[in-house]
Amino acid sequence: MIAVAVLGLTVVGGVTARPAAAADSTPYRAQVFTRGYDTSKVVSLTFDLDWRTGTPAENAVSKANLDTVLRVFAANGITGGFGMTGRFAEQNPVEAKNIATQGHKIFNHSYSHPDFMTLTQAQRWSQLDRAEAALKAAGIASAGWFRAPYRSGYMDSGLNRDLALRGYYINLDWTFDTTGYQAADWATVSARIDKYTVPGAIIVMHVTIPSTDPGNLQRVIDKLRGMGYGFVSPFQAVTRGPVRTKYFAIGGPAFFGAATTADLDATTTDTAVQWFQNGRIYYSPASAAHYVGGAVLTKYKAMGTVTSLLKFPITDSLPAAGGGRHYDFQGGSIYWMSATGAHEVHGAIRTKWLALGSTGAFLGYPISDETAVTGGRASQFQGGNVYWSSGIGAHEVHGSILKKYLSLGGTGSRLGLPVSDEYTVSVGRRSDFQHGAIIWNSTTKATSVIYY
């Protein structure tokens, strides 16, 4: 990554970099996007949206402006972004919901549009909370995206720290303003487009009267196309590389929601992770890009994600027997089904379990993570246990033999660890252990123990 100093902070491709942190950890500050990640000729179109209740005539014009913006976006196949205040959503919940329903990205633009640099931390959080509550009441959410009113303090480290502490990790700023909100004529707007448009630019416009932006929107689009520019949604603008490719391959915002962080180093600078509403996408050169979500992500996070023994995912979600799912990682797997929850299995125990048929065979799903036992390691499954030690390898014990073995104390008993899987003998079934055996009689259904 190439970094440039701006206002005492580090900016990476238009994004404020966070201080050094543990791998895959919560961002220390909101990441400021003054432009998207793209280096090709594309731009993102956004509008800021706030109006107080005015006269019926003023409200009618503003709503007509909003209708115009949505109609022009739809006619041109463009997904835009809207910095929306809480009071707008509160006063106009139907219009607010309609914007999101049409697929556009919403960002929290505060509740009442104050200058955040004049507010205390508590007041900033109150503005964010009230706005998010109003968005939620309208059936929408910002997903942790913010845009500063008046652009005040948008690069301030303290403000961006306060945002992150409240769960806002994306501060979607902009590259240039058309100044349509000042009733700028087309010549002025056109000149600004010529002067300030760059690859990845985020352009901000305004809806409310006296803005000329709604009426000029089609001309803005046509001019940019004439300059050789295409359009990317805000959803796309804050993603890049293999993570972006995976994100859109699996359905983009429709499946995975919006990104909730910028692109982050997962471990080292050649790896990446990005958090989304419905999961995370991880990338390393050795593993490629894969997503993790749901209860499996919860388990993976509890283990330490990429710093855990599992390391990076090497598959997306895969089906397993009985309606369950699993993900494979460099260091093992996590399996989930509703009846058992999510549990990891790895190493020689996983190899043995897979050889025995995994979820589709008698052992079924794991019901524990791998744990230490006397002399070795063990994982519990629906239909039995698999034990391992370095000198013996991995072996399963199940059914009546397992029940007897556990009643004697399992690996801590005189029998020690299993040295065979269960196998057939003349009277029924048998499992061998370090210091004996357990035999199950198929006629009497009784178990007997041999020590040696």
Side-chain angles (χ1 to χ4, degrees), residues 341-373:
H343 298 285
E344 65 81 18
V345 57
H346 70 277
I349 289 177
R350 176 177 176 270
T351 300
K352 167 60 72 174
W353 177 61
L354 292 175
L356 292 170
S358 70
T359 57
F362 68 95
L363 285 176
Y365 279 79
I367 57 174
S368 78
D369 299 337
E370 184 179 302
T371 57
V373 295

mmCIF file of all heavy atoms in Angstrom, residues 341-373:
data_model
loop_
_atom_site.group_PDB
_atom_site.id
_atom_site.type_symbol
_atom_site.label_atom_id
_atom_site.label_comp_id
_atom_site.label_asym_id
_atom_site.label_seq_id
_atom_site.Cartn_x
_atom_site.Cartn_y
_atom_site.Cartn_z
ATOM 1 N N GLY A 341 -25.041 -27.151 17.068
ATOM 2 C CA GLY A 341 -24.249 -25.929 17.070
ATOM 3 C C GLY A 341 -22.995 -26.100 16.236
ATOM 4 O O GLY A 341 -22.853 -27.058 15.479
ATOM 5 N N ALA A 342 -22.071 -25.163 16.379
ATOM 6 C CA ALA A 342 -20.848 -25.160 15.575
ATOM 7 C C ALA A 342 -19.666 -25.625 16.411
ATOM 8 O O ALA A 342 -19.450 -25.131 17.523
ATOM 9 C CB ALA A 342 -20.583 -23.762 15.025
ATOM 10 N N HIS A 343 -18.885 -26.555 15.842
ATOM 11 C CA HIS A 343 -17.696 -27.069 16.533
ATOM 12 C C HIS A 343 -16.588 -27.328 15.525
ATOM 13 O O HIS A 343 -16.842 -27.688 14.380
ATOM 14 C CB HIS A 343 -18.019 -28.355 17.287
ATOM 15 C CG HIS A 343 -19.041 -28.173 18.361
ATOM 16 N ND1 HIS A 343 -18.755 -27.569 19.567
ATOM 17 C CD2 HIS A 343 -20.356 -28.490 18.397
ATOM 18 C CE1 HIS A 343 -19.863 -27.524 20.299
ATOM 19 N NE2 HIS A 343 -20.838 -28.071 19.615
ATOM 20 N N GLU A 344 -15.368 -27.150 15.997
ATOM 21 C CA GLU A 344 -14.205 -27.374 15.123
ATOM 22 C C GLU A 344 -13.725 -28.809 15.256
ATOM 23 O O GLU A 344 -13.889 -29.464 16.288
ATOM 24 C CB GLU A 344 -13.077 -26.400 15.459
ATOM 25 C CG GLU A 344 -12.453 -26.544 16.838
ATOM 26 C CD GLU A 344 -11.407 -27.652 16.934
ATOM 27 O OE1 GLU A 344 -10.889 -28.105 15.886
ATOM 28 O OE2 GLU A 344 -11.109 -28.066 18.065
ATOM 29 N N VAL A 345 -13.086 -29.288 14.203
ATOM 30 C CA VAL A 345 -12.414 -30.587 14.225
ATOM 31 C C VAL A 345 -11.176 -30.443 13.355
ATOM 32 O O VAL A 345 -11.224 -29.831 12.283
ATOM 33 C CB VAL A 345 -13.355 -31.719 13.747
ATOM 34 C CG1 VAL A 345 -13.906 -31.453 12.368
ATOM 35 C CG2 VAL A 345 -12.674 -33.070 13.817
ATOM 36 N N HIS A 346 -10.047 -30.964 13.802
ATOM 37 C CA HIS A 346 -8.804 -30.745 13.073
ATOM 38 C C HIS A 346 -7.826 -31.889 13.305
ATOM 39 O O HIS A 346 -8.071 -32.802 14.096
ATOM 40 C CB HIS A 346 -8.159 -29.414 13.485
ATOM 41 C CG HIS A 346 -7.607 -29.401 14.876
ATOM 42 N ND1 HIS A 346 -8.378 -29.165 15.998
ATOM 43 C CD2 HIS A 346 -6.332 -29.596 15.337
ATOM 44 C CE1 HIS A 346 -7.629 -29.208 17.078
ATOM 45 N NE2 HIS A 346 -6.381 -29.472 16.716
ATOM 46 N N GLY A 347 -6.723 -31.820 12.584
ATOM 47 C CA GLY A 347 -5.623 -32.751 12.786
ATOM 48 C C GLY A 347 -5.969 -34.202 12.517
ATOM 49 O O GLY A 347 -6.822 -34.543 11.693
ATOM 50 N N ALA A 348 -5.301 -35.092 13.253
ATOM 51 C CA ALA A 348 -5.480 -36.524 13.047
ATOM 52 C C ALA A 348 -6.888 -36.990 13.405
ATOM 53 O O ALA A 348 -7.403 -37.949 12.823
ATOM 54 C CB ALA A 348 -4.442 -37.295 13.867
ATOM 55 N N ILE A 349 -7.513 -36.319 14.360
ATOM 56 C CA ILE A 349 -8.890 -36.679 14.709
ATOM 57 C C ILE A 349 -9.813 -36.389 13.532
ATOM 58 O O ILE A 349 -10.675 -37.211 13.187
ATOM 59 C CB ILE A 349 -9.341 -35.935 15.983
ATOM 60 C CG1 ILE A 349 -8.608 -36.513 17.197
ATOM 61 C CG2 ILE A 349 -10.860 -36.017 16.164
ATOM 62 C CD1 ILE A 349 -8.915 -35.815 18.498
ATOM 63 N N ARG A 350 -9.633 -35.252 12.896
ATOM 64 C CA ARG A 350 -10.433 -34.934 11.716
ATOM 65 C C ARG A 350 -10.177 -35.936 10.588
ATOM 66 O O ARG A 350 -11.117 -36.394 9.918
ATOM 67 C CB ARG A 350 -10.102 -33.519 11.238
ATOM 68 C CG ARG A 350 -10.805 -33.088 9.952
ATOM 69 C CD ARG A 350 -10.459 -31.643 9.628
ATOM 70 N NE ARG A 350 -11.031 -31.212 8.360
ATOM 71 C CZ ARG A 350 -10.419 -31.314 7.180
ATOM 72 N NH1 ARG A 350 -9.192 -31.869 7.122
ATOM 73 N NH2 ARG A 350 -10.992 -30.886 6.094
ATOM 74 N N THR A 351 -8.912 -36.295 10.375
ATOM 75 C CA THR A 351 -8.582 -37.270 9.337
ATOM 76 C C THR A 351 -9.281 -38.599 9.585
ATOM 77 O O THR A 351 -9.845 -39.209 8.663
ATOM 78 C CB THR A 351 -7.057 -37.474 9.271
ATOM 79 O OG1 THR A 351 -6.422 -36.226 8.967
ATOM 80 C CG2 THR A 351 -6.676 -38.493 8.209
ATOM 81 N N LYS A 352 -9.256 -39.076 10.813
ATOM 82 C CA LYS A 352 -9.934 -40.324 11.167
ATOM 83 C C LYS A 352 -11.438 -40.217 10.960
ATOM 84 O O LYS A 352 -12.074 -41.101 10.363
ATOM 85 C CB LYS A 352 -9.621 -40.683 12.623
ATOM 86 C CG LYS A 352 -10.493 -41.783 13.223
ATOM 87 C CD LYS A 352 -10.387 -43.105 12.487
ATOM 88 C CE LYS A 352 -9.083 -43.790 12.732
ATOM 89 N NZ LYS A 352 -9.046 -45.155 12.132
ATOM 90 N N TRP A 353 -12.023 -39.122 11.444
ATOM 91 C CA TRP A 353 -13.474 -38.915 11.316
ATOM 92 C C TRP A 353 -13.901 -38.862 9.856
ATOM 93 O O TRP A 353 -14.901 -39.476 9.466
ATOM 94 C CB TRP A 353 -13.830 -37.629 12.050
ATOM 95 C CG TRP A 353 -15.259 -37.206 11.971
ATOM 96 C CD1 TRP A 353 -16.349 -37.888 12.414
ATOM 97 C CD2 TRP A 353 -15.745 -35.972 11.431
ATOM 98 N NE1 TRP A 353 -17.494 -37.160 12.188
ATOM 99 C CE2 TRP A 353 -17.152 -35.985 11.591
ATOM 100 C CE3 TRP A 353 -15.138 -34.866 10.866
ATOM 101 C CZ2 TRP A 353 -17.954 -34.917 11.172
ATOM 102 C CZ3 TRP A 353 -15.928 -33.807 10.458
ATOM 103 C CH2 TRP A 353 -17.322 -33.833 10.599
ATOM 104 N N LEU A 354 -13.148 -38.163 9.032
ATOM 105 C CA LEU A 354 -13.467 -38.103 7.609
ATOM 106 C C LEU A 354 -13.362 -39.486 6.972
ATOM 107 O O LEU A 354 -14.194 -39.867 6.131
ATOM 108 C CB LEU A 354 -12.541 -37.117 6.894
ATOM 109 C CG LEU A 354 -12.711 -35.632 7.236
ATOM 110 C CD1 LEU A 354 -11.633 -34.804 6.541
ATOM 111 C CD2 LEU A 354 -14.102 -35.126 6.849
ATOM 112 N N ALA A 355 -12.357 -40.246 7.366
ATOM 113 C CA ALA A 355 -12.187 -41.594 6.818
ATOM 114 C C ALA A 355 -13.349 -42.510 7.195
ATOM 115 O O ALA A 355 -13.688 -43.448 6.447
ATOM 116 C CB ALA A 355 -10.873 -42.191 7.304
ATOM 117 N N LEU A 356 -13.968 -42.222 8.324
ATOM 118 C CA LEU A 356 -15.108 -43.031 8.791
ATOM 119 C C LEU A 356 -16.439 -42.549 8.217
ATOM 120 O O LEU A 356 -17.479 -43.125 8.527
ATOM 121 C CB LEU A 356 -15.169 -43.012 10.315
ATOM 122 C CG LEU A 356 -14.017 -43.729 11.033
ATOM 123 C CD1 LEU A 356 -14.053 -43.432 12.525
ATOM 124 C CD2 LEU A 356 -14.068 -45.235 10.776
ATOM 125 N N GLY A 357 -16.435 -41.498 7.405
ATOM 126 C CA GLY A 357 -17.664 -41.043 6.758
ATOM 127 C C GLY A 357 -18.194 -39.720 7.258
ATOM 128 O O GLY A 357 -19.253 -39.281 6.800
ATOM 129 N N SER A 358 -17.504 -39.092 8.193
ATOM 130 C CA SER A 358 -17.870 -37.787 8.759
ATOM 131 C C SER A 358 -19.356 -37.707 9.125
ATOM 132 O O SER A 358 -19.894 -38.619 9.751
ATOM 133 C CB SER A 358 -17.434 -36.654 7.825
ATOM 134 O OG SER A 358 -18.200 -36.609 6.649
ATOM 135 N N THR A 359 -20.038 -36.621 8.714
ATOM 136 C CA THR A 359 -21.413 -36.384 9.179
ATOM 137 C C THR A 359 -22.408 -37.392 8.634
ATOM 138 O O THR A 359 -23.495 -37.546 9.197
ATOM 139 C CB THR A 359 -21.874 -34.973 8.764
ATOM 140 O OG1 THR A 359 -21.770 -34.843 7.338
ATOM 141 C CG2 THR A 359 -21.008 -33.916 9.428
ATOM 142 N N GLY A 360 -22.050 -38.082 7.553
ATOM 143 C CA GLY A 360 -22.983 -39.033 6.954
ATOM 144 C C GLY A 360 -22.875 -40.433 7.510
ATOM 145 O O GLY A 360 -23.585 -41.337 7.054
ATOM 146 N N ALA A 361 -22.006 -40.647 8.487
ATOM 147 C CA ALA A 361 -21.791 -41.982 9.045
ATOM 148 C C ALA A 361 -22.207 -42.028 10.513
ATOM 149 O O ALA A 361 -22.822 -41.094 11.029
ATOM 150 C CB ALA A 361 -20.331 -42.380 8.866
ATOM 151 N N PHE A 362 -21.816 -43.108 11.193
ATOM 152 C CA PHE A 362 -22.331 -43.361 12.545
ATOM 153 C C PHE A 362 -21.881 -42.335 13.572
ATOM 154 O O PHE A 362 -22.570 -42.106 14.570
ATOM 155 C CB PHE A 362 -21.945 -44.771 13.003
ATOM 156 C CG PHE A 362 -20.470 -44.967 13.243
ATOM 157 C CD1 PHE A 362 -19.933 -44.824 14.510
ATOM 158 C CD2 PHE A 362 -19.618 -45.315 12.203
ATOM 159 C CE1 PHE A 362 -18.583 -45.023 14.743
ATOM 160 C CE2 PHE A 362 -18.272 -45.512 12.413
ATOM 161 C CZ PHE A 362 -17.740 -45.365 13.688
ATOM 162 N N LEU A 363 -20.737 -41.676 13.362
ATOM 163 C CA LEU A 363 -20.292 -40.690 14.349
ATOM 164 C C LEU A 363 -21.087 -39.394 14.265
ATOM 165 O O LEU A 363 -21.238 -38.689 15.260
ATOM 166 C CB LEU A 363 -18.802 -40.394 14.171
ATOM 167 C CG LEU A 363 -17.844 -41.472 14.676
ATOM 168 C CD1 LEU A 363 -16.412 -41.097 14.338
ATOM 169 C CD2 LEU A 363 -17.996 -41.703 16.176
ATOM 170 N N GLY A 364 -21.602 -39.055 13.096
ATOM 171 C CA GLY A 364 -22.402 -37.851 12.951
ATOM 172 C C GLY A 364 -21.581 -36.575 13.126
ATOM 173 O O GLY A 364 -20.394 -36.529 12.813
ATOM 174 N N TYR A 365 -22.215 -35.542 13.663
ATOM 175 C CA TYR A 365 -21.596 -34.226 13.813
ATOM 176 C C TYR A 365 -20.781 -34.124 15.104
ATOM 177 O O TYR A 365 -21.126 -34.758 16.116
ATOM 178 C CB TYR A 365 -22.670 -33.137 13.845
ATOM 179 C CG TYR A 365 -23.175 -32.744 12.483
ATOM 180 C CD1 TYR A 365 -24.101 -33.540 11.818
ATOM 181 C CD2 TYR A 365 -22.727 -31.591 11.851
ATOM 182 C CE1 TYR A 365 -24.573 -33.191 10.555
ATOM 183 C CE2 TYR A 365 -23.187 -31.230 10.593
ATOM 184 C CZ TYR A 365 -24.109 -32.033 9.951
ATOM 185 O OH TYR A 365 -24.556 -31.689 8.701
ATOM 186 N N PRO A 366 -19.741 -33.283 15.098
ATOM 187 C CA PRO A 366 -19.041 -33.016 16.360
ATOM 188 C C PRO A 366 -19.957 -32.275 17.337
ATOM 189 O O PRO A 366 -20.739 -31.410 16.930
ATOM 190 C CB PRO A 366 -17.854 -32.139 15.944
ATOM 191 C CG PRO A 366 -18.258 -31.522 14.642
ATOM 192 C CD PRO A 366 -19.152 -32.521 13.976
ATOM 193 N N ILE A 367 -19.862 -32.635 18.587
ATOM 194 C CA ILE A 367 -20.639 -31.953 19.630
ATOM 195 C C ILE A 367 -19.710 -31.284 20.641
ATOM 196 O O ILE A 367 -20.163 -30.770 21.658
ATOM 197 C CB ILE A 367 -21.620 -32.909 20.337
ATOM 198 C CG1 ILE A 367 -20.895 -34.102 20.958
ATOM 199 C CG2 ILE A 367 -22.693 -33.387 19.348
ATOM 200 C CD1 ILE A 367 -21.802 -34.999 21.796
ATOM 201 N N SER A 368 -18.419 -31.310 20.344
ATOM 202 C CA SER A 368 -17.436 -30.575 21.149
ATOM 203 C C SER A 368 -16.310 -30.163 20.225
ATOM 204 O O SER A 368 -16.146 -30.704 19.130
ATOM 205 C CB SER A 368 -16.871 -31.446 22.278
ATOM 206 O OG SER A 368 -15.897 -32.346 21.769
ATOM 207 N N ASP A 369 -15.535 -29.173 20.650
ATOM 208 C CA ASP A 369 -14.260 -28.922 20.002
ATOM 209 C C ASP A 369 -13.274 -29.975 20.505
ATOM 210 O O ASP A 369 -13.552 -30.719 21.450
ATOM 211 C CB ASP A 369 -13.751 -27.529 20.364
ATOM 212 C CG ASP A 369 -14.694 -26.429 19.911
ATOM 213 O OD1 ASP A 369 -15.492 -26.662 18.970
ATOM 214 O OD2 ASP A 369 -14.629 -25.319 20.486
ATOM 215 N N GLU A 370 -12.115 -30.031 19.879
ATOM 216 C CA GLU A 370 -11.084 -30.941 20.372
ATOM 217 C C GLU A 370 -10.602 -30.462 21.742
ATOM 218 O O GLU A 370 -10.370 -29.269 21.956
ATOM 219 C CB GLU A 370 -9.908 -31.000 19.395
ATOM 220 C CG GLU A 370 -8.843 -31.999 19.808
ATOM 221 C CD GLU A 370 -7.694 -32.082 18.828
ATOM 222 O OE1 GLU A 370 -7.956 -32.384 17.637
ATOM 223 O OE2 GLU A 370 -6.538 -31.838 19.247
ATOM 224 N N THR A 371 -10.448 -31.391 22.687
ATOM 225 C CA THR A 371 -10.027 -31.043 24.043
ATOM 226 C C THR A 371 -8.907 -31.970 24.500
ATOM 227 O O THR A 371 -8.709 -33.055 23.945
ATOM 228 C CB THR A 371 -11.194 -31.157 25.037
ATOM 229 O OG1 THR A 371 -11.723 -32.503 24.984
ATOM 230 C CG2 THR A 371 -12.298 -30.170 24.695
ATOM 231 N N ALA A 372 -8.198 -31.546 25.528
ATOM 232 C CA ALA A 372 -7.150 -32.375 26.108
ATOM 233 C C ALA A 372 -7.766 -33.435 27.007
ATOM 234 O O ALA A 372 -8.723 -33.172 27.750
ATOM 235 C CB ALA A 372 -6.180 -31.507 26.905
ATOM 236 N N VAL A 373 -7.242 -34.645 26.930
ATOM 237 C CA VAL A 373 -7.605 -35.727 27.843
ATOM 238 C C VAL A 373 -6.317 -36.347 28.346
ATOM 239 O O VAL A 373 -5.230 -36.055 27.834
ATOM 240 C CB VAL A 373 -8.485 -36.798 27.155
ATOM 241 C CG1 VAL A 373 -9.833 -36.223 26.752
ATOM 242 C CG2 VAL A 373 -7.767 -37.391 25.937
#
